[in-house]
Amino acid sequence: MKAIFLLLLFLTSFARADEIGSQYRKQAEAGDARAQYYLADTYFSSGDSKQAALWAEKAAKGGDVDAMGLLSQILFTQGDYAQAKALAQQANIAGSKRGAIMLARILVNTQAGKTDYPQAIRLLQTATEDIDSDSAVDAQLLLGLIYANGGEVAQDDVQAASWFKRSSALSRTGYAEYWAGMLFRQGEKGFITPNKQKALYWLNLSCTEGFDTGCEEFDALSGE
C-alpha cells in the first residue's frame, strides 16, 4: 500500500540503496511516468527525499498528477509551505487524490498560513469515497485527527473514532488509532500539540482493537 502523507512522517527503511524501488526502476529509467512516481514514493518512504524529489519531478514532467502531490509533500516536510500549497492546488485541480489530501493537510496547518478547515474537510470527504484507493486510508485518518485534535473544529472523539475505524478497516485493524496516538505523542508543528493523555487514549484503543504495536507503545508511554 502506498500511504501518502501522515504515515510517511514516521517510516524508516534500512534497505540498501540499490534495492529501493527495484521493481519500478527499469520502467522508470525507460521514461514511464507512473513507474517514476512509484519509485519516487518508495524513496520518500525510505527517507531519501533527494532521490524522491528527483524522480517525482521526472514523473510530474511526464504528466503524472500524483507526482505533483508527492512533490508538494516533500516541500511541506522541508518547510517550503508556499510552494507546497501551490503544487497541491495544481494536483488537486488535475484530479489527484494525493494532491487533494495534501492540500487539506496544508489547510489545517498554521505554519502554512491562514487555515481553512471547512475546505479541508470537504476535500477529505471527497477523497474517502473511493475505498479501493489507498488515498481513502489517509483521508479518513486525517479526518479522524481533525476531530480528535479539536480547536477550530470542536473535538469529537466519537466522530474521530468512526473515521479511524474506517481507515483501519481498509488497512489493518487498530492501525489508524495507533498513528493517531503516535502523532499526539510526538506532535506536528502547526497542527497537533503533543498531548500525553490523548496519545494514551488512542494507543489504548489501538491495543484494544488488537494491534500489538499499539499495546507496546501504550505500555511504554504509560511508564514515562
Side-chain angles (χ1 to χ4, degrees):
M1 181 176 68
K2 294 195 168 297
I4 64 177
F5 94 97
L6 292 168
L7 310 187
L8 292 177
L9 290 175
F10 303 100
L11 293 179
T12 306
S13 171
F14 296 97
R16 289 173 53 193
D18 59 352
E19 295 175 346
I20 293 174
S22 57
Q23 67 270 47
Y24 309 118
R25 184 170 297 279
K26 185 175 181 180
Q27 286 178 286
E29 290 177 343
D32 186 312
R34 196 59 179 171
Q36 290 170 342
Y37 163 67
Y38 286 142
L39 180 57
D41 196 25
T42 305
Y43 270 118
F44 187 52
S45 298
S46 74
D48 191 338
S49 293
K50 185 176 180 180
Q51 283 296 317
L54 186 154
W55 285 103
E57 286 173 3
K58 289 179 184 291
K61 288 178 181 177
D64 193 293
V65 295
D66 287 329
M68 286 194 291
L70 175 55
L71 281 171
S72 170
Q73 187 174 356
I74 294 169
L75 290 167
F76 182 86
T77 60
Q78 295 172 345
D80 189 346
Y81 303 112
Q83 187 63 17
K85 185 174 183 178
L87 280 170
Q89 288 172 327
Q90 291 178 45
N92 177 52
I93 291 170
S96 168
K97 290 290 195 302
R98 182 168 198 155
I101 297 170
M102 195 60 225
L103 180 56
R105 183 182 179 190
I106 292 167
L107 290 172
V108 299
N109 193 297
T110 58
Q111 294 278 101
K114 186 178 180 181
T115 59
D116 188 340
Y117 274 75
Q119 184 185 358
I121 290 172
R122 286 194 298 271
L123 287 166
L124 293 171
Q125 288 175 333
T126 299
T128 66
E129 294 171 0
D130 183 5
I131 61 172
D132 292 325
S133 169
D134 292 328
S135 61
V137 176
D138 295 308
Q140 291 164 350
L141 174 57
L142 183 50
L143 277 167
L145 285 167
I146 287 172
Y147 287 109
N149 191 45
E152 291 189 40
V153 171
Q155 183 178 337
D156 186 339
D157 287 345
V158 174
Q159 180 94 292
S162 175
W163 284 115
F164 289 147
K165 196 172 188 66
R166 290 174 65 180
S167 178
S168 293
L170 296 177
S171 55
R172 182 175 175 182
T173 302
Y175 198 60
E177 295 85 350
Y178 163 74
W179 284 112
M182 294 302 291
L183 270 171
F184 279 113
R185 183 178 185 178
Q186 301 180 30
E188 181 182 316
K189 193 172 182 180
F191 178 34
I192 291 177
T193 301
N195 186 309
K196 184 177 180 179
Q197 291 308 310
K198 287 186 178 182
L200 285 169
Y201 178 84
W202 295 111
L203 287 172
N204 182 56
L205 185 55
S206 173
C207 180
T208 302
E209 292 286 334
F211 191 59
D212 290 343
T213 308
C215 298
E216 293 168 5
E217 292 295 338
F218 175 80
D219 291 340
L221 185 58
S222 298
E224 291 181 0

